Amino acid sequence: MNLVVVSNRVARGKVNEPMTGGLAAALLPVVEKSGAIWVGSSGRVRDTAQKEPFAEIEALGRGALALLDLPAAHYGGFYEGFANSALWPALHSRSDLIRVSQDDYRSYREVNAFMARALLRFVKKDTVFWVQDYHFLALGAELRALGVGEPIGFFLHTPWPGRSIIEGVPRHRELVEAMLAYDLIGFQTEEDCANFQDYLRSVPELKLHDDVVFSRHGRARLAVFPIGIDAEKFAAAAAKAITHPDVSRLRRSLNGEKLAIGVDRLDYSKGLINRIAAFDRMWEQEPSLLRTVSLLQIATPSRGGIEVYCKLQGELARLVSEVNGRHGEVDWTPIRYLNKAFGQAVLAGLYRSAQVGVVTPLQDGMNLVAKEYVAAQNPEDPGVLVLSKFAGAANELDAALLINPHDIDGMAQTIATALAMPLAERRMRYQAMMTKLRGHGIQQWFSDFIDTLQECRISRGASAARPPAASALRSLHTIRGGARFH
């Protein structure tokens, strides 16, 4: 099998290289071990009139990276426009933040088409394409339009919201119809898959039978594949990282006080404002915790060209300053707030140094930070995970302290409970979660998806002579360049 993985963002896998986002963390070990080619953006743009689009090819373990310069004329509308000002807010149930134009949608489709043309060079008899995330919902349809008949799977790293939310996205029906060109569409949770199925049931032209949907593209299967991590590898890295200079300096600076840690991209979906407010409330209600516990909040800036992200960064900085001014002392800072990324090796050591991990998104896909925090703990003296019930990881890590991130008082009380939890209970919860992490790791996620994708292509070929009813094959109305949105 010649596996080609496609995503917008890629990771180079250097030990000290900062890594932002669960997608990069999830795919890196898969590519390194499987020998796949990982195709993604180089981070640069260029005039598409130039002939050679690939900026560079790099080795990555047993695999390779193919870094592509995307078209300058469309990248802004694609990335900051439709992908992150329409799809991202909708997928995280924030339809109130959708800001998008017809030109943005056109650019989104143009970049999907550009990527499809670039991928043709990888088509071989045994090629399998695995497309990642919301940036490329339409890539499968573009590949099919170019005559690609090889297996093409898609995995969504974000949630899929309820029908009333996704219908707020311009051209939503056109996009979903394009997604059905994939042989396999994978989701993080059963709820995400069920939401997608509910949308499909609202479209008369489609026929849904259990987990298979029939469209003009043929048949596509829907399935759930929770992402895991290599828990043993991360645990070993955390134990080793205790001696890293950054980690050693942090531990010395604590002077015996306890530490809570949050590690997130600076994004409105992560619940950062509510998290800081919860610590503020905790110190108000439990003054005995002043000077005994501090929060290390790492919030890596992203998407700085989008107004809502700039506003969030300013609002969060002001709130942290207010909380530190209210509760801090000349020799004690309640919240250590850092706007920079760290490599995985350093993060592993920081997680292990913290008695509480706070992962409190308002809405999230899997959130691998939750799994990494658990794996990083010292089995003899583990910390406690405080986890939003709206993160995909909550379905597996039910031994964490689950919270509602909209309930500030409840979060404050739960964090205090975590800090006071007896050792026996901490060990019990840690062992229960580690058992689940070991039972379904990152390689299992990879194998399950690829095996299912190949099964889908076999079944699609077998059923080609027995197409579904004609009503199931009628194409949905498509307007590639028209004036109105669905």
Side-chain angles (χ1 to χ4, degrees), residues 428-442:
M428 178 189 69
R429 290 177 179 271
Y430 162 79
Q431 289 165 2
M433 290 187 285
M434 279 298 286
T435 296
K436 292 190 175 181
L437 294 184
R438 293 187 182 108
H440 196 88
I442 186 69

Side-chain angles (χ1 to χ4, degrees), residues 73-96:
H74 295 289
Y75 187 77
F78 157 74
Y79 184 75
E80 293 183 348
F82 199 82
N84 287 308
S85 295
L87 290 175
W88 180 269
L91 293 170
H92 291 85
S93 299
R94 289 299 304 272
S95 54
D96 59 306

Side-chain angles (χ1 to χ4, degrees), residues 232-249:
E232 296 297 347
K233 180 179 178 181
F234 203 86
K240 182 179 179 181
I242 288 297
T243 59
H244 190 282
D246 287 345
V247 179
S248 297
R249 286 198 301 273

Side-chain angles (χ1 to χ4, degrees), residues 361-438:
L362 305 178
Q363 197 74 42
D364 218 343
M366 180 53 63
N367 199 304
L368 294 181
V369 166
K371 296 187 175 186
E372 291 171 350
Y373 174 79
V374 172
Q377 297 309 295
N378 178 353
E380 300 303 316
D381 186 21
V384 180
L385 176 63
V386 175
L387 178 62
S388 167
K389 64 182 182 179
F390 301 124
N395 294 311
E396 298 169 81
L397 304 182
D398 52 1
L401 295 184
L402 299 181
I403 57 91
N404 174 0
H406 301 284
D407 180 0
I408 304 300
D409 287 324
M411 271 200 290
Q413 293 166 9
T414 301
I415 295 166
T417 298
L419 290 163
M421 186 176 291
L423 177 60
E425 183 178 354
R426 286 190 279 121
R427 285 177 175 171
M428 178 189 69
R429 290 177 179 271
Y430 162 79
Q431 289 165 2
M433 290 187 285
M434 279 298 286
T435 296
K436 292 190 175 181
L437 294 184
R438 293 187 182 108

Side-chain angles (χ1 to χ4, degrees), residues 169-465:
V169 176
R171 304 289 184 88
H172 58 89
R173 184 169 293 187
E174 190 175 322
L175 278 174
V176 171
E177 191 268 351
M179 290 175 68
L180 300 179
Y182 290 111
D183 296 291
L184 175 63
I185 302 174
F187 300 91
Q188 300 266 20
T189 69
E190 294 288 351
E191 181 180 2
D192 298 329
C193 189
N195 285 341
F196 191 78
Q197 290 174 320
D198 180 61
Y199 180 96
L200 297 179
R201 292 188 187 97
S202 72
V203 183
E205 294 89 343
L206 302 177
K207 297 298 180 184
L208 181 64
H209 299 286
D210 297 325
D211 61 353
V212 176
V213 57
F214 295 94
S215 74
R216 72 181 179 90
H217 299 290
R219 55 187 288 166
R221 182 176 171 186
L222 315 177
V224 176
F225 303 93
I227 294 183
I229 64 171
D230 188 333
E232 296 297 347
K233 180 179 178 181
F234 203 86
K240 182 179 179 181
I242 288 297
T243 59
H244 190 282
D246 287 345
V247 179
S248 297
R249 286 198 301 273
L250 170 68
R251 293 168 72 90
R252 287 195 302 270
S253 73
L254 293 172
N255 294 317
E257 73 183 71
K258 292 183 176 181
L259 180 71
I261 189 170
V263 178
D264 310 83
R265 273 193 317 103
L266 210 163
D267 192 282
Y268 49 78
S269 67
K270 302 300 182 181
L272 295 170
I273 296 294
N274 289 11
R275 184 184 305 170
I276 300 302
F279 275 88
D280 184 26
R281 190 71 52 84
M282 181 190 72
W283 284 311
E284 282 181 4
Q285 296 176 341
E286 302 278 353
S288 63
L289 293 177
L290 291 167
R291 301 184 66 91
T292 66
V293 58
S294 60
L295 169 66
L296 171 60
Q297 178 60 59
I298 298 170
T300 310
S302 66
R303 301 168 190 163
I306 301 175
E307 183 181 3
V308 67
Y309 286 86
C310 296
K311 288 183 176 179
L312 175 63
Q313 185 167 10
E315 183 181 358
L316 190 59
R318 285 191 297 273
L319 181 59
V320 169
S321 179
E322 290 171 5
V323 173
N324 282 340
R326 187 156 45 245
H327 299 296
E329 302 289 349
V330 292
D331 60 343
W332 182 67
T333 302
I335 300 174
R336 307 174 186 215
Y337 178 55
L338 302 177
N339 284 139
K340 62 181 181 179
F342 291 86
Q344 289 292 92
V346 176
L347 283 178
L350 298 179
Y351 292 142
R352 194 178 181 94
S353 302
Q355 285 70 39
V356 177
V358 283
V359 181
T360 58
L362 305 178
Q363 197 74 42
D364 218 343
M366 180 53 63
N367 199 304
L368 294 181
V369 166
K371 296 187 175 186
E372 291 171 350
Y373 174 79
V374 172
Q377 297 309 295
N378 178 353
E380 300 303 316
D381 186 21
V384 180
L385 176 63
V386 175
L387 178 62
S388 167
K389 64 182 182 179
F390 301 124
N395 294 311
E396 298 169 81
L397 304 182
D398 52 1
L401 295 184
L402 299 181
I403 57 91
N404 174 0
H406 301 284
D407 180 0
I408 304 300
D409 287 324
M411 271 200 290
Q413 293 166 9
T414 301
I415 295 166
T417 298
L419 290 163
M421 186 176 291
L423 177 60
E425 183 178 354
R426 286 190 279 121
R427 285 177 175 171
M428 178 189 69
R429 290 177 179 271
Y430 162 79
Q431 289 165 2
M433 290 187 285
M434 279 298 286
T435 296
K436 292 190 175 181
L437 294 184
R438 293 187 182 108
H440 196 88
I442 186 69
Q443 288 303 128
Q444 187 69 47
W445 170 71
F446 164 70
S447 298
D448 287 350
F449 190 96
I450 296 301
D451 289 348
T452 306
L453 176 57
Q454 292 178 319
E455 290 170 8
C456 289
R457 286 303 288 174
I458 292 171
S459 62
R460 173 178 279 209
S463 63

